[in-house]
Amino acid sequence: MADIPDELIKLERTAEDGRTKLAGLDGEEHDAQWRRWRKAAEAFHAAVTKYAASGGNRYELEMAAKKAVRHPEPEAAAAYGHA
């Protein structure tokens, strides 16, 4: 799947950043960050569902967006400012 909407990339990046911020936190700080991460993840999943409703494969779209964020190709990383 080559065409991943920019909105999905941004939402997944926000969710992934929120998830990584959980490391080393505990107590109330962890709970607050977990809620922020969960809200971001829910927004990503809702957007994937919306885009897939127009005829795409939801699973493939979700996995492509996650791969683009978590394991970017060198040219893709540069395009999104992560080179």
Side-chain angles (χ1 to χ4, degrees):
M1 175 167 291
D3 294 328
I4 305 166
D6 287 342
E7 178 187 9
L8 293 184
I9 297 294
K10 290 175 187 174
L11 289 168
E12 173 57 15
R13 185 168 289 121
T14 299
E16 183 61 11
D17 289 346
R19 187 189 65 78
T20 60
K21 289 178 182 176
L22 286 167
L25 297 178
D26 58 5
E28 290 181 28
E29 288 180 333
H30 182 274
D31 293 346
Q33 182 58 37
W34 185 88
R35 285 189 295 277
R36 286 189 290 275
W37 163 74
R38 184 70 185 158
K39 184 176 180 178
E42 288 171 352
F44 168 71
H45 286 281
V48 169
T49 299
K50 180 183 116 184
Y51 279 101
S54 64
N57 180 303
R58 189 198 182 291
Y59 175 79
E60 288 177 7
L61 182 58
E62 178 182 345
M63 292 301 107
K66 287 182 177 189
K67 181 179 179 185
V69 170
R70 298 176 188 187
H71 309 287
E73 298 295 322
E75 62 276 2
Y80 288 105
H82 289 281

